[in-house]
Amino acid sequence: MISNTIKTIMVPDWDKVDPEIIELIKSGHMRLREGIVYWSKGKKLIDGAGSIVKHLPFKEMTVDLSEGVNVVELAKAGAAVKQSIFLAAGLSTGIILGAIVIQTVYLSKKLEKIQASIDKIAIEIQTQNQLFYLEKLSSYIGSIMAAHELLGIYQEHEPIPEIIAPLLVTLAQQRNELCTFLMKLIGWIEQGNNRDGKNAITQEHAALIIDFITHVLDMMPKAIYVESTLYTRLGRYHHADTLVETAGAKYTAVLQAYRGWARDSYDNLLTGSSSSHNNRLLTNKFNDIKSLLNSLENKILLGKNEQFNQQDEKLIIALPV
């Protein structure tokens, strides 16, 4: 449970947006971050045009976070441009999710949950290499928490580049180290399950590791969003876009490795070639892993909020207004 209160946030008032701006966003010539419309890199149509085009008009919206974040419901609520519900749902949901990540305790709760599990995993890990990466992950979580707090402060005050710039360097380094650690950890589960005797991973330990990987991979798109927002607050919109693209590609590579491990393990379960230990383990965790791999929320936060796939679109449109 994220919060037992209803939060009021600001979302775009699409009824007041110039149709020409909407068309330029749809065509990819303009992009949108934090309510600011700007030219995509290399897409200016008018000589001498500035990067920032305009600030979107906003209106208040209340969201109930008592049972988590329902992305489809947010998309439906944000789709105010009836003639372009596909675009409006995507853009609005991206902004609403962004506001929730930045303005509420949503991200903090996720980070605290991961931090609490690090000590439990460290007790079972015997190699210095794995402990080293766990310490790095703990540092990354601390940096994201610091960035989260700074963004909350800078809602009311001007951002200070001298503080944000070194933090961005630290976040980039720690994020890449985290991706390396997760790749190692995914392989370590498989190797550990194939060991015999005292070197084998217990079922309880393996379950903890899988939960840990799943939670961290679910958290990373939110952390990348926070990181990109730091660039946005400095007015570096194209830097924010580039960050999401490069960080998103590395995240996707780790996610695909996890997908591959889960797929192979599930195939072994169906063919009966895996141990009863692995059967029980994967059966208990499969729904959580499947939710992670199919997360619409993470897709939006990784910069894909301008286009849903057709299945997502049909789901949104089918909902009653």
Side-chain angles (χ1 to χ4, degrees), residues 43-88:
K43 293 288 188 178
K44 294 179 184 177
L45 298 182
I46 304 173
D47 291 338
S51 181
I52 297 178
V53 178
K54 67 175 299 180
H55 291 72
L56 285 185
F58 275 71
K59 61 183 179 181
E60 287 189 351
M61 176 180 176
T62 57
V63 290
D64 184 358
L65 301 178
S66 60
E67 296 183 0
V69 175
N70 187 315
V71 177
V72 175
E73 287 294 334
L74 292 179
K76 181 187 69 173
V81 181
K82 303 304 181 184
Q83 69 272 23
S84 186
I85 186 171
F86 195 38
L87 172 76

Side-chain angles (χ1 to χ4, degrees), residues 238-259:
H238 294 152
H239 285 76
D241 291 341
T242 300
L243 167 69
V244 172
E245 291 170 4
T246 56
K250 292 181 179 179
Y251 169 81
T252 300
V254 179
L255 192 68
Q256 291 300 332
Y258 196 40
R259 184 192 303 273

Side-chain angles (χ1 to χ4, degrees), residues 23 30 33 44 48 70 116 122 128 156 187 207 219 222 254 277 299 307 310 318 320:
E23 288 302 317
M30 291 182 180
R33 276 189 175 275
K44 294 179 184 177
N70 187 315
Q128 189 63 36
E156 300 178 0
M219 174 274 297
K222 289 79 172 175
V254 179
H277 164 99
K299 180 192 302 184
Q307 53 181 343
Q310 290 185 353

